[in-house]
Amino acid sequence: MFSRTFFKINNLLISQSVRKVLVQPAANMSGNSSKLLNSNMWDSDPELFSIIQKEKKRQQAGLEMIASENFTSLPVLQCLSSCLHNKYSEGLPGQRYYGGNEYIDEVELLAQKRALEAYNLNAEDWGVNVQPYSGSPANFAVYTAIAEPHGRIMGLDLPDGGHLTHGFFTPTKKISCTSLFFESMPYKVDPETGLIDYEQLAKSSKTFRPKVIVAGVSCYSRALDYKRFKEIADDVGAYLFSDMSHISGLVSAGVTPNPFEYSDVVTTTTHKSLRGPRAAVIFFRKGVRSTNAKGEKIMYDLESKINQAVFPGLQGGPHNNAIAGIATAFKQAKSPEFVEYQKQVVANARRLAAGLQEKGYKIATGGTDVHMLLVDLRGTGISGAKAERILEEISIACNKNTVPGDKSALNPSGFRLGTPAITTRGLVETDIDKVVDFIDRGLKLAKEASVVSGPKLVDFKNVLEKDETFKNKVAALRNEVETFSNSFPLPGYPDY
Ligand SMILES: Cc1ncc(COP(=O)(O)O)c(C=O)c1O
């Protein structure tokens, strides 16, 4: 029954001949092997397929407000499940360790060309590697290339909005391999304003003398001052490495400052605001880096160092299906529709911040310039973990997060919200007002439950799960959220 529905819908999407291959065993195959190779997933593995369908339904029925997530397009999903998946192609286009790569080369060169075009970069001044499997390995490749083992790196502290890969460690443990294999030192935000303390970075970088300064964030709702970062990096002779993973869609659309003007290296994941496949790219400068006192030109030597750090340094065969997805995502990034989408992402985030402020919630830094915001729950009687929990119960996905000045990273006082995914589904400002109302009602419910449960999360969960009054209130609100969410489409395959 499912197969019928699927093909009815997909008649629009795939040709008759492709459909035949999907439903019929190949003529020259027989017995088990043919069945194994050619039956559809829903026939060959219904147990797994039903789990995937449940996840699809969850995505459809809930409001996805995790700032790093998005719903990628049908063409990207088609690239990911294409024959490109099958091919080994270690090396770069024209220099492969395997044969049969003429079309793989074409795909990779197209992805490189479109990556540069998406940010209006000139191939004389910038190169790009499109092979990193994801953001964390891309960043590790950059450090491997330009910091060398035990080289010094400064990035925004994780509790202040930086990413793990920017060097996170605790007093007792080196958490990220960036702190294990390199020497990392964090810079911070001002605990009062929540804004990056550039002065403190300028001072401590003069003592620490890093080789690399990272300008990049996972939870920070203001535009970065790349010019200031560059001045600080230049003062100590460091490379400026911008990790624009969260904002690369916004940068491409020109709705937030562009890191390329000031950076030596730029990385981005391709699956966040950019809305491509789960992968990453590294951009690196070429040409003249500086001129010395004698007037001699010092050239960048990043290209081979970065390419070699990716392969053979850290990776093997590139994921060619993902590279094709990168190519088609960067093509989309040049379209007027994509620019409108990014404008809407920011407009929605601003409306969300303003709406929550009107309801009395405190937003870190006082608002947002980008696609995300951080709600500061201090003084409300609810922790970030409780907020995350209640919102999950009512089908709104978000994550707990430290807020500037938080004493414990283990029990954060806020939660992060983002608008890329819900904007992909078509929500605009008036819909955001409804979302604000759902969040507010959820948090009020959390406050009531918290009075009954006391401070511990485990007791809070128990109240939500076992107390009939709360169970009913949560279920009624979840029902409202899901009815609302189900009225917005999801891109991709209809049923999985
Ligand atoms: C700024 C930043 N850099 C890097 C990463 C790592 O990306 P991935 O999860 O693909 O390894 C993230 C992920 O959230 C991120 O926010």
Side-chain angles (χ1 to χ4, degrees), residues 108 147 222 255 315 371 414:
E108 187 163 343
R222 295 301 179 181
V255 301
Q315 296 190 173
H371 63 297

Side-chain angles (χ1 to χ4, degrees), residues 341-416:
Y341 160 67
Q342 297 296 346
K343 285 182 184 161
Q344 192 63 55
V345 165
V346 176
N348 283 351
R350 288 210 162 112
R351 184 72 158 245
L352 185 62
L356 288 168
Q357 280 169 325
E358 271 167 35
K359 301 256 182 212
Y361 295 97
K362 188 176 170 207
I363 306 297
T365 79
T368 182
D369 299 328
V370 287
H371 63 297
M372 68 160 102
L373 54 100
L374 176 60
V375 184
D376 182 345
L377 291 168
R378 282 175 299 188
T380 65
I382 323 167
S383 64
K386 283 181 180 170
E388 179 190 282
R389 181 67 196 185
I390 191 87
L391 294 178
E392 187 172 14
E393 287 285 335
I394 61 164
S395 293
I396 298 178
C398 70
N399 63 285
K400 60 180 175 292
N401 219 100
T402 45
V403 297
D406 248 348
K407 297 282 175 287
S408 160
L410 295 177
N411 185 22
S413 309
F415 66 100
R416 184 184 70 159

Side-chain angles (χ1 to χ4, degrees), residues 39-298:
S39 58
N40 288 307
M41 172 187 36
W42 42 91
D43 295 326
S44 68
D45 196 346
E47 184 184 4
L48 172 65
F49 186 62
S50 77
I51 301 173
I52 298 176
Q53 276 194 300
K54 280 190 277 182
E55 169 59 13
K56 178 76 183 186
K57 283 193 184 125
R58 188 197 66 80
Q59 292 186 9
Q60 175 71 53
L63 292 173
E64 182 50 71
M65 300 193 73
I66 292 176
S68 51
E69 291 191 16
N70 212 332
F71 298 108
T72 198
S73 63
L74 182 64
V76 167
L77 289 177
Q78 288 171 332
C79 289
L80 291 175
S81 59
S82 72
C83 65
L84 298 176
H85 166 270
N86 298 332
K87 191 73 193 97
Y88 248 111
S89 58
E90 284 175 353
L92 286 165
Q95 310 157 35
R96 305 285 188 183
Y97 289 78
Y98 292 83
N101 274 305
E102 61 266 46
Y103 303 116
I104 296 296
D105 280 4
E106 274 186 46
V107 170
E108 187 163 343
L109 290 170
L110 188 62
Q112 290 176 356
K113 178 172 147 299
R114 289 180 177 173
L116 295 178
E117 282 167 1
Y119 299 99
N120 303 314
L121 302 173
N122 183 333
E124 308 284 292
D125 301 325
W126 285 91
V128 61
N129 188 306
V130 296
Q131 295 190 359
Y133 298 149
S134 213
S136 304
N139 288 354
F140 204 81
V142 171
Y143 304 136
T144 303
I146 65 177
E148 294 167 354
H150 294 285
R152 294 180 188 177
I153 293 163
M154 289 189 78
L156 183 61
D157 211 1
L158 179 83
D160 291 42
H163 187 255
L164 271 170
T165 58
H166 301 168
F168 186 55
F169 60 91
T170 69
T172 50
K173 196 166 178 207
K174 295 188 171 199
I175 305 287
S176 161
C177 281
T178 307
S179 63
L180 196 59
F181 298 115
F182 304 93
E183 304 304 325
S184 58
M185 175 167 170
Y187 57 90
K188 310 282 291 175
V189 297
D190 180 315
E192 293 304 314
T193 61
L195 299 172
I196 289 175
D197 190 343
Y198 291 97
E199 281 311 306
Q200 182 245 336
L201 168 61
K203 270 193 210 144
S204 50
S205 62
K206 286 210 176 95
T207 311
F208 190 62
R209 313 271 341 159
K211 266 193 167 170
V212 183
I213 292 180
V214 189
V217 295
S218 290
C219 186
Y220 186 72
S221 60
R222 295 301 179 181
L224 296 186
D225 187 348
Y226 295 108
K227 183 165 180 285
R228 185 82 181 96
F229 272 118
K230 178 65 175 165
E231 286 161 2
I232 295 169
D234 279 351
D235 264 0
V236 293
Y239 284 111
L240 180 60
F241 160 36
S242 296
D243 174 357
M244 60 167 188
S245 289
H246 259 267
I247 52 161
S248 54
L250 284 71
V251 171
S252 167
V255 301
T256 198
N258 183 330
F260 288 96
E261 193 179 342
Y262 298 105
S263 308
D264 301 296
V265 179
V266 177
T267 57
T268 181
T269 50
T270 50
H271 48 273
K272 298 187 171 79
S273 59
L274 193 63
R275 214 164 60 182
R278 192 163 285 280
V281 300
I282 306 173
F283 297 90
F284 46 83
R285 279 224 187 236
K286 303 199 294 199
V288 179
R289 183 179 181 199
S290 59
T291 309
N292 68 16
K294 291 186 211 149
E296 293 161 345
K297 288 180 175 148
I298 316 279

